[in-house]
Amino acid sequence: LTDEQKTFMRSEVQKATASFQDLQWKLQDQMEALHDTMKSPSVNEQQALAQLDKVLDIEREIKRLHIALAVRLKNHLTAEQQEQMNKMMDHHPGMPEN
């Protein structure tokens, strides 16, 4: 990696990490609210489903953040670097595909 690529990647990971941490806190709060909604003897279905939607929206944001980061990092690599990365991933079957 060039120095410019390293700087870019560090910056992108730091930004994503801050966003990810914020979303994790929000997700925890919404999960607790869903749990509170579900623990009563008689659950208001509309309220429970609305709360579930909030949880799912945050989970979607987290997944979108991960994919967006992966795309930005990959797009900052040269074709040769991407090919080298693909070869490395072929030798490590547990790693996610790009």
Side-chain angles (χ1 to χ4, degrees):
L1 296 176
T2 66
D3 287 342
E4 186 269 333
Q5 285 174 315
K6 289 178 188 177
T7 300
F8 173 81
M9 290 183 182
R10 283 184 187 121
S11 173
E12 290 299 308
V13 169
Q14 286 173 345
K15 285 188 261 183
T17 298
S19 295
F20 178 72
Q21 288 174 339
D22 183 50
L23 288 170
Q24 284 294 107
W25 285 110
K26 288 179 181 178
L27 180 60
Q28 183 176 345
D29 290 344
Q30 296 304 326
M31 289 291 292
E32 288 174 9
L34 178 59
H35 176 74
D36 289 345
T37 300
M38 296 296 294
K39 71 181 180 183
S40 77
S42 178
V43 176
N44 178 317
E45 183 177 353
Q46 219 172 5
Q47 184 181 5
L49 293 176
Q51 188 59 43
L52 174 62
D53 285 340
K54 291 177 184 180
V55 169
L56 295 174
D57 287 345
I58 295 170
E59 288 179 346
R60 181 185 173 281
E61 282 185 66
I62 291 169
K63 289 177 182 178
R64 190 174 193 284
L65 177 66
H66 282 143
I67 295 298
L69 175 62
V71 168
R72 282 194 304 277
L73 297 180
K74 180 178 180 176
N75 286 342
H76 227 70
L77 297 175
T78 65
E80 182 181 305
Q81 289 170 326
Q82 288 185 28
E83 184 179 326
Q84 191 174 13
M85 180 180 68
N86 289 336
K87 287 180 185 175
M88 289 170 49
M89 291 174 69
D90 287 343
H91 289 88
H92 299 286
M95 294 184 75
E97 300 269 335
N98 59 3

